Amino acid sequence: MEDLNDGSPGHTAAEETRSPDIPRSDVRSERRVAAVSSTAPPAARLTLPGVMDAEGRVDESRLRMYIFKNGGVCPSERGLVWRFLFGMYPCSSTALERSLLQEQMVVRYQVMKRKWQQFLPKAVRMHLNGTDAELVAAAQILFERVTFDQEELREATRIIDKDVPRTNRDLSYYQEEGLGNLLVLRDILITYAAFHPEVNYAQGMNDLCSRFLEVLDSEVDTFWSFSCYMEKFSKDFRADGLHRKIELEAALLKELDPSLYAHLVSDSVESFTFCHRWLLLGFQREFEHSDALRLFEILSCDHLELISQQVDRARYQERLARNCSTEDHSESQLQAINTDFTFELFICAAILLENRESLLRCRDDVQLIQFTSSLQGTLDLNSTLKKAEHHLYNYCKRCAWDYMNECCRADISTEEDFLYQLRSLLVLR
């Protein structure tokens, strides 16, 4: 895997010791570094219209729809929104239930962190406030049988100590007194690697986790939100997951621009691996920082996935109303739209098509990487979103017409199927 931490050179740390560029935790006395527990009260309310009820429950579908249609949320609401969006707080929980859940998450994280620190006794330890003894005892019982692979955890710590000092050093959050936040980030990543050995740690996780820490400004909340995110996207850090995403991007570009696709897969340009960092990190470096945060929450709201579920339910009800057998129809149904084409792939395609002429002039992988690297921090998010939506709509519209033509050739009743496709497109638009 390529080095995702381009920029300043790395720092190698000894196994089980802190990185030399990360200050000790006494920096907290100079400036408030990320809090241990949540800075957002569990009873805090979202002001987004129609999203939260009187007892504090969140309508998840409306929340995700709001994010997608409004291009993200305002910075003042982002911290609380992310706690629901990424699953740290269940959307069905009340404000009272979240207060109890928050206390449990703090204790569980403390116990998990102390366990690996005892396993690596030379690692820097941060002093955490004491909590209810019964909760601590329960958490200790929960994790007492957890064992670590010493060699794997030491290696993960070594790589983390190399990557963390290079994480977003241009942000004020990690500058001067804020350097202490790098130590917080380090502890979160080691705790995650220790208790998720099937995933462990890979380059790029530091950049993703850094987003959560900056927005949530809480060690505990960042750990649990990042863990929830990784439940869905950890596969992207494996070779098979990466290759699958790149294959999908290539397939989408072939649909949108066969000529550009043919150039990029020619003998001199063998693959789309230059898009690797874009897709893995959610275009973190291609847009201005605040826009990159907005895009991350837009891509994470899974709006198109929810729409697909709604369309499937509407289709099922439609079949029942026509007294049709879903089993009989499902096998003969022709697939119109590739639902694996997620919105992030259309964002990537929009960037490629916007820079089509420059890409056609690239003759090898080196030139491709040089050109795509030159785009960092230069792209306009609103313009890119509009272009991606345009490509998505045109792709869906073309698929609907192709589907209708296939139905005609198969001598299937076309009127109702076409109306269904048209309704789908209007929802997606």
Side-chain angles (χ1 to χ4, degrees):
M1 183 177 291
E2 63 179 302
D3 188 348
L4 299 171
N5 293 295
D6 46 13
S8 58
H11 302 275
T12 302
E15 299 173 348
E16 301 185 2
T17 62
R18 68 182 179 93
S19 173
D21 276 11
I22 303 179
R24 296 185 183 276
S25 56
D26 56 8
V27 171
R28 291 174 180 269
S29 62
E30 301 176 28
R31 174 181 178 271
R32 188 181 67 81
V33 185
V36 174
S37 59
S38 179
T39 56
R45 295 192 57 81
L46 292 173
T47 62
L48 310 183
V51 170
M52 180 176 280
D53 68 15
E55 293 185 326
R57 298 182 185 87
V58 169
D59 186 320
E60 183 175 3
S61 180
R62 287 190 176 186
L63 174 63
R64 294 176 183 273
M65 184 82 73
Y66 180 94
I67 292 171
F68 191 85
K69 287 189 172 182
N70 292 275
V73 299
C74 64
S76 62
E77 297 247 48
R78 180 164 289 143
L80 185 56
V81 166
W82 279 29
R83 286 170 169 86
F84 290 104
L85 177 63
F86 293 102
M88 177 192 140
Y89 287 153
C91 288
S92 60
S93 63
T94 65
L96 178 60
E97 291 168 342
R98 288 194 292 275
S99 297
L100 300 175
L101 179 62
Q102 181 72 43
E103 187 176 5
Q104 293 171 0
M105 288 190 294
V106 170
V107 174
R108 288 183 64 185
Y109 177 75
Q110 289 176 347
V111 172
M112 295 166 74
K113 181 176 170 182
R114 286 170 182 161
K115 188 174 180 67
W116 70 255
Q117 287 178 335
Q118 291 169 359
F119 187 72
L120 301 179
K122 294 182 181 179
V124 174
R125 301 184 183 183
M126 295 173 59
H127 296 290
L128 305 179
N129 295 328
T131 322
D132 185 83
E134 292 184 0
L135 287 176
V136 173
Q140 288 174 338
I141 293 173
L142 181 63
F143 298 115
E144 67 179 356
R145 295 186 179 180
V146 175
T147 59
F148 302 132
D149 184 304
Q150 188 175 49
E151 184 176 347
E152 285 189 2
L153 187 53
R154 282 178 173 174
E155 178 62 14
T157 302
R158 186 190 68 80
I159 299 174
I160 290 170
D161 279 346
K162 178 181 177 181
D163 289 349
V164 165
R166 300 183 285 171
T167 304
N168 293 330
R169 294 299 289 273
D170 57 329
L171 298 182
S172 60
Y173 191 75
Y174 294 110
Q175 292 176 352
E176 298 178 358
E177 294 87 354
L179 281 170
N181 286 318
L182 292 175
L183 180 57
V184 177
L185 177 63
R186 171 187 184 264
D187 286 352
I188 294 169
L189 291 170
I190 297 176
T191 305
Y192 179 83
F195 286 86
H196 298 82
E198 71 285 358
V199 180
N200 207 312
Y201 173 80
Q203 278 193 328
M205 290 183 186
N206 56 314
D207 291 296
L208 287 173
C209 190
S210 172
R211 282 176 169 165
F212 288 97
L213 183 59
E214 178 194 357
V215 170
L216 303 180
D217 198 34
S218 162
E219 183 175 356
V220 171
D221 293 16
T222 296
F223 172 80
W224 292 113
S225 297
F226 176 70
S227 298
C228 291
Y229 177 86
M230 290 297 292
E231 285 182 11
K232 183 173 183 179
F233 294 103
S234 63
K235 61 182 182 297
D236 291 345
F237 289 89
R238 300 195 304 263
D240 56 342
L242 168 63
H243 293 155
R244 172 61 176 162
K245 189 165 285 189
I246 290 176
E247 288 173 355
L248 286 170
E249 184 60 51
L252 176 59
L253 188 63
K254 186 177 182 180
E255 293 272 358
L256 302 178
D257 191 331
S259 298
L260 180 57
Y261 164 81
H263 171 72
L264 294 178
V265 297
S266 63
D267 292 338
S268 58
V269 184
E270 296 181 352
S271 67
F272 282 69
T273 52
F274 65 92
C275 297
H276 164 218
R277 191 187 70 241
W278 291 0
L279 296 170
L280 186 67
L281 302 183
F283 311 93
Q284 179 169 329
R285 299 173 186 167
E286 281 56 54
F287 298 92
E288 190 271 330
H289 181 64
S290 61
D291 283 343
L293 290 177
R294 276 206 301 136
L295 179 57
F296 184 61
E297 65 193 15
I298 292 170
L299 296 177
S300 299
C301 75
D302 296 328
H303 172 73
L304 298 182
E305 180 179 304
L306 293 175
I307 289 296
S308 177
Q309 294 172 359
Q310 294 171 7
V311 169
D312 285 343
R313 286 195 296 269
R315 189 177 208 173
Y316 178 74
Q317 294 297 328
E318 203 173 90
R319 290 173 182 170
L320 290 180
R322 299 201 309 258
N323 294 319
C324 293
S325 168
T326 57
E327 288 81 5
D328 292 343
H329 251 299
S330 60
E331 293 185 2
S332 61
Q333 198 70 36
L334 296 169
Q335 181 66 39
I337 297 173
N338 187 342
T339 55
D340 288 332
F341 288 163
T342 55
F343 192 59
E344 66 176 344
L345 299 180
F346 283 93
I347 291 286
C348 187
I351 297 173
L352 296 177
L353 293 172
E354 178 68 14
N355 295 277
R356 185 177 191 276
E357 298 305 317
S358 297
L359 290 170
L360 289 174
R361 289 194 293 269
C362 295
R363 297 301 173 188
D364 54 42
D365 289 340
V366 174
Q367 292 181 1
L368 270 176
I369 294 174
Q370 289 175 341
F371 173 72
T372 54
S373 296
S374 71
L375 298 177
Q376 292 187 22
T378 66
L379 302 182
D380 179 79
L381 178 58
N382 290 333
S383 174
T384 302
L385 286 172
K386 289 179 181 178
K387 290 181 174 67
E389 291 170 357
H390 174 75
H391 293 310
L392 169 63
Y393 176 70
N394 285 339
Y395 165 72
C396 292
K397 183 170 67 173
R398 186 174 67 252
C399 286
W401 282 109
D402 291 345
Y403 177 79
M404 185 184 71
N405 291 333
E406 288 292 331
C407 288
C408 290
R409 285 195 291 270
D411 194 26
I412 299 175
S413 175
T414 62
E415 183 177 359
E416 291 180 347
D417 288 314
F418 176 67
L419 289 175
Y420 160 74
Q421 291 294 333
L422 187 59
R423 280 197 297 275
S424 301
L425 294 177
L426 292 174
V427 173
L428 286 169
R429 188 176 185 180

